[in-house]
Amino acid sequence: MLKFLSIRDFVIVDSLELDFSSGFTALTGETGAGKSILIDALSLALGERGDAGMVRSGCERAEIGAEFDIADLPYLQSWLCEQELIGDANVCLLRRMLDANGRSRGFINGRSATLQQMRDAGGYLLDIHGQHAHQSLLRPDAQRDLLDGYASLMSEVEKLAGLFQEWQTLLRRHRKLEQSAEAVASERELLMFQRHELETLNFSVQAWMELQADYARLSHATDLLETAQFGVEVLNEADTACLAQLNALTARLRAGIEFDESLQDTLNMVESAQNDLQEAMYALRHYSQKVDADPQKLSEQEHRVAAVVDASRKYRVMPEQLPEALQCIVARLDDLGSDSDLAILAQQEAAAREQYLSAAKKLGVERRKAAEKLSREITAAMQALAMQGGNFAVVLKPLAEGNAQGLEVLEFQVAINPGSPLRSLAKVASGGELSRISLAIQVAASKAATVPTLIFDEVDSGIGGRVAEIVGALLKRLGQRHQVMCVTHLPQVAAMADTQLKVSKSIQNGATVSTISTLKQVERVEEIARMLGGVIITDTTRKHAAEMLDLGLGLPSSNGFDVSC
């Protein structure tokens, strides 16, 4: 539950620190004093969006801090651990800073947190029922969510949505495959031919490189042989062969050395060249003996090269990319599947549909049980809220086709007067009646709430007298199970509270400042008297206020409505 709240430079609050206790707390004050500031501050701390206008005029930033006792919230503790936001044992600290330029920062247990993380944490901690909440109750989705929350069916609804999505995915694939079966068959036949063609080609990049080299050599074998023979002739066999000329030159240089030793270096160079040319002549002679000019082998290689080039042109790729083309064809065949895949997919889709329908039917049974119970509780609440003879029903209408939320659509129906037929809530209730019915719905649904703190923001608007006393009794009894806070202008409601906070507004240094204080018993008498009597407070009014507070110490034995929680 909420233990402590600090507010600094927020709207018209300069600095405020409040301790909270369990039970029912009423928040009162004159009109315009800023009673909803506390709720606005808490909403900001729990991740609601803020704007620069929330920062107190002339200040750099607003800061909200809230401390919650989470000893009885194991799911929140697990969530904090998963998010690596765990803090001190059994404590959750939320802090929100909003700069005057609109920049916002959030912290959970001292660690930086996103707004979504703060909203997720807030979902475990606190529920706020605003004074205009009845407007959302006219929407079918809000009505369904309220019933599911009341019946603790949210996890089942989430699972059902997953099953529905899985079924729809398979259904779309099945229908698409059915519609394109003929085209798919034609495409599969073509792809299988292409795969066979490329697999038969048995192409590899390494073999292609070797083939190109062999083909180039074979196709020029005659020229290469002639070149080798010409080289042998020039070097050794012609009348003026190079080697013969060098041999003669070598002999003459050796003779000349006897007369001039300086010719030795020249002789060495000539002999080296002679040796190199001799080796070259041997190499050319050997090469000419092994040159292959086999026409049959050349023809085979020509056909192989032509087959590869034709395939590359056909598939519009370079020859080196033919393996990748084959892989794409195989992958596409895998995507298309075989003829039996249509039957398999049909079986999978049917199984997913049956799984969804089974879960949806079970959910529908639980919803109907909860709808009957909630209808009885809200009908009973209407009797106490000055709508004697009224009737309320949560009606579940079957859908022609299911959706992610189930096999039925939900509608709140009401009969305001005895004997009147049930009609849609949106079409029957007036503004005042809708406000009272909304309160009855919220109180009934709140009994099943798993969050420890419930806040009601002037949901008692438009009622008074004995009905206001009943509302106070409802909130007080609800406070036996939850920490309940209510912003109220009704003295009958405030008198039922275990704790009363008063919001005051004053002018300090030329600026409007709002403060909140916890009232003692004597101060509560004055505040209740003010709420009863207005500007002039008489002793009679004070006496009446004291009597109301004394009565608020214990609930009346009977209100015509069982308000037990």
Side-chain angles (χ1 to χ4, degrees):
M1 71 175 191
L2 179 64
K3 299 288 290 183
F4 177 77
L5 178 69
S6 66
I7 306 174
R8 188 177 303 278
D9 296 327
F10 179 71
V11 192
I12 58 174
V13 175
D14 57 352
S15 179
L16 177 66
E17 293 184 349
L18 283 174
D19 292 301
F20 294 90
S21 58
S22 59
F24 171 32
T25 298
L27 189 65
T28 64
E30 294 183 359
T31 301
K35 294 189 290 297
S36 294
I37 285 180
L38 182 145
I39 295 176
D40 295 338
L42 275 174
S43 298
L44 194 66
L46 296 177
E48 290 299 319
R49 295 193 176 278
D51 57 70
M54 292 180 172
V55 180
R56 187 165 174 256
S57 179
C59 298
E60 294 183 359
R61 69 176 57 87
E63 184 173 346
I64 313 296
E67 177 185 344
F68 292 87
D69 182 347
I70 60 172
D72 297 324
L73 296 175
Y75 291 112
L76 174 58
Q77 294 180 30
S78 298
W79 181 87
L80 290 171
C81 187
E82 291 172 1
Q83 301 292 319
E84 298 183 352
L85 295 171
I86 198 73
D88 294 339
N90 300 328
V91 173
C92 182
L93 300 174
L94 300 180
R95 185 162 66 99
R96 183 80 177 276
M97 301 175 66
L98 184 62
D99 293 343
N101 59 10
R103 182 170 178 264
S104 171
R105 288 172 291 171
F107 302 87
I108 298 178
N109 289 323
R111 294 178 176 85
S112 180
T114 65
L115 291 186
Q116 186 58 53
Q117 286 176 317
M118 299 189 79
R119 284 192 289 268
D120 290 344
Y124 292 98
L125 294 166
L126 187 146
D127 269 345
I128 296 177
H129 299 268
Q131 58 180 314
H132 301 297
H134 58 274
Q135 296 174 356
S136 67
L137 291 177
L138 301 179
R139 302 198 314 269
D141 57 338
Q143 295 175 359
R144 184 192 61 247
D145 290 344
L146 187 144
L147 177 66
D148 290 339
Y150 172 80
S152 300
L153 294 173
M154 298 307 293
S155 60
E156 284 80 357
V157 173
E158 185 176 352
K159 292 177 183 176
L160 184 69
L163 292 174
F164 180 79
Q165 184 62 43
E166 182 179 353
W167 170 37
Q168 291 300 301
T169 299
L170 290 169
L171 180 61
R172 286 192 294 270
R173 288 178 57 190
H174 184 204
R175 288 176 176 173
K176 183 177 180 181
L177 193 56
E178 281 184 328
Q179 293 169 358
S180 59
E182 184 176 347
V184 167
S186 298
E187 184 182 1
R188 186 188 298 112
E189 183 178 356
L190 174 62
L191 290 171
M192 291 178 68
F193 171 80
Q194 292 175 338
R195 182 181 67 181
H196 176 73
E197 185 176 48
L198 289 178
E199 287 177 346
T200 303
L201 186 64
N202 194 27
F203 177 89
S204 75
V205 175
Q206 181 64 32
W208 171 244
M209 294 175 64
E210 293 174 357
L211 174 64
Q212 287 179 299
D214 289 343
Y215 176 72
R217 185 167 55 251
L218 278 173
S219 62
H220 296 83
T222 301
D223 292 340
L224 292 173
L225 179 60
E226 290 176 353
T227 299
Q229 291 175 345
F230 175 77
V232 170
E233 184 177 355
V234 168
L235 291 174
N236 193 51
E237 296 179 356
D239 293 338
T240 58
C242 292
L243 287 174
Q245 297 290 338
L246 286 175
N247 287 337
L249 177 60
T250 302
R252 299 189 68 169
L253 286 172
R254 285 196 185 101
I257 288 174
E258 295 180 3
F259 306 104
D260 188 353
E261 294 182 353
S262 65
L263 290 174
Q264 183 64 49
D265 291 340
T266 303
L267 176 60
N268 292 340
M269 289 186 287
V270 172
E271 288 179 338
S272 176
Q274 185 181 14
N275 292 333
D276 290 342
L277 290 174
Q278 187 71 41
E279 291 296 326
M281 187 270 294
Y282 290 147
L284 286 172
R285 183 174 291 170
H286 179 71
Y287 179 79
S288 65
Q289 293 173 352
K290 71 174 185 177
V291 169
D292 187 4
D294 186 351
Q296 182 177 353
K297 186 175 182 181
L298 177 61
S299 177
E300 292 174 355
Q301 290 187 341
E302 284 178 343
H303 283 91
R304 175 64 175 168
V305 170
V308 171
V309 172
D310 288 345
S312 67
R313 289 174 179 171
K314 181 177 181 178
Y315 294 100
R316 298 181 181 181
V317 296
M318 298 297 293
E320 293 80 4
Q321 297 173 320
L322 285 172
E324 287 81 357
L326 177 58
Q327 291 178 1
C328 291
I329 290 171
V330 172
R332 178 57 181 162
L333 278 170
D334 289 340
D335 289 340
L336 293 177
S338 64
D339 292 333
S340 62
D341 286 348
L342 183 60
I344 294 174
L345 187 57
Q347 293 175 355
Q348 293 175 341
E349 183 265 318
R353 179 178 181 272
E354 287 303 316
Q355 192 174 7
Y356 161 78
L357 289 175
S358 176
K361 289 175 182 176
K362 290 179 181 178
L363 178 62
V365 170
E366 295 301 317
R367 277 176 170 164
R368 285 179 175 82
K369 291 179 182 177
E372 292 176 3
K373 182 180 178 183
L374 183 60
S375 298
R376 289 194 300 268
E377 292 187 4
I378 296 175
T379 297
M382 290 172 62
Q383 315 310 305
L385 294 173
M387 287 182 283
Q388 288 81 4
N391 189 21
F392 187 92
V394 181
V395 178
L396 277 67
K397 300 179 180 179
L399 288 172
E401 294 184 4
N403 57 29
Q405 286 74 42
L407 298 172
E408 56 278 319
V409 63
L410 187 144
E411 184 180 59
F412 285 175
Q413 295 185 355
V414 64
I416 301 298
N417 301 309
S420 299
L422 288 166
R423 295 178 60 192
S424 172
L425 179 64
K427 299 178 179 179
V428 175
S430 65
E433 291 167 339
L434 186 58
S435 178
R436 280 180 284 165
I437 296 173
S438 170
L439 179 59
I441 294 172
Q442 291 161 5
V443 171
S446 296
K447 295 176 185 178
T450 58
V451 296
T453 301
L454 305 172
I455 297 181
F456 296 88
D457 184 11
E458 293 193 21
V459 293
D460 52 10
S461 177
I463 61 175
R466 179 179 177 276
V467 177
E469 185 179 339
I470 297 297
V471 170
L474 283 169
L475 295 173
K476 187 177 184 68
R477 290 296 181 95
L478 195 59
Q480 294 175 0
R481 290 188 56 186
H482 302 272
Q483 182 186 39
V484 175
M485 301 180 197
C486 179
V487 175
T488 182
H489 64 281
L490 298 177
Q492 297 93 331
V493 173
M496 290 288 183
D498 301 304
T499 305
Q500 186 170 349
L501 303 179
K502 180 182 178 181
V503 181
S504 303
K505 185 169 65 174
S506 61
I507 304 298
Q508 297 181 9
N509 299 322
T512 301
V513 176
S514 181
T515 59
I516 303 177
S517 58
T518 303
L519 301 182
K520 298 178 181 179
Q521 187 68 11
V522 175
E523 294 170 327
R524 289 191 68 183
V525 171
E526 288 295 316
E527 176 64 6
I528 298 295
R530 181 199 64 77
M531 298 172 73
L532 284 167
V535 177
I536 301 175
I537 302 175
T538 64
D539 291 340
T540 302
T541 306
R542 291 189 179 92
K543 182 178 179 181
H544 185 192
E547 289 176 350
M548 291 179 66
L549 285 170
D550 289 339
L551 289 173
L553 294 176
L555 287 172
S557 59
S558 174
N559 291 302
F561 166 55
D562 182 8
V563 293
S564 63
C565 298

